Amino acid sequence: MSVEEELKKDHNDMQAVVDSKQKIIDAQEKRIASLDAANGRLMSALTQLKERYSMQTRNGISPTNPTKLQITENGEFRNSSNC
């Protein structure tokens, strides 16, 4: 009986470790999804900037006051001229 109780205790201890690690994995997956979304917004902003620069150079316009992008607390972008 003692061996059986010891095995049950070991199993419970291992289950607690697995549960703890699963919580960490879940938090990491959530963080990865958040970073992936932020990366998508960054890539979109970069594409917009490239397109704007490309159009300006094609038209022979040299920007004298380039727009600066700012990142808000929630990861959104806004132009400094819109502030």
Side-chain angles (χ1 to χ4, degrees), residues 2-82:
S2 171
V3 173
E4 186 177 337
E5 288 175 13
E6 198 171 317
L7 287 173
K8 283 182 182 180
K9 181 186 178 302
D10 287 346
H11 175 72
N12 289 339
D13 291 345
M14 283 190 268
Q15 188 62 45
V17 170
V18 168
D19 291 344
S20 173
K21 289 185 178 188
Q22 187 61 47
K23 285 181 184 179
I24 292 170
I25 290 169
D26 292 343
Q28 289 174 337
E29 286 175 346
K30 204 178 225 185
R31 181 72 175 139
I32 288 169
S34 173
L35 289 171
D36 190 40
N39 186 51
R41 291 189 301 271
L42 284 169
M43 293 303 291
S44 176
L46 180 60
T47 300
Q48 290 174 359
L49 287 173
K50 285 180 180 180
E51 289 172 358
R52 185 181 300 164
Y53 180 76
S54 175
M55 287 179 10
Q56 288 174 347
T57 55
R58 272 188 270 152
N59 294 332
I61 300 171
S62 177
T64 56
N65 189 10
T67 304
K68 293 181 183 177
L69 287 180
Q70 294 179 338
I71 301 175
T72 63
E73 288 181 18
N74 62 356
E76 297 296 319
F77 295 100
R78 68 174 181 218
N79 292 329
S80 59
S81 59
N82 295 345

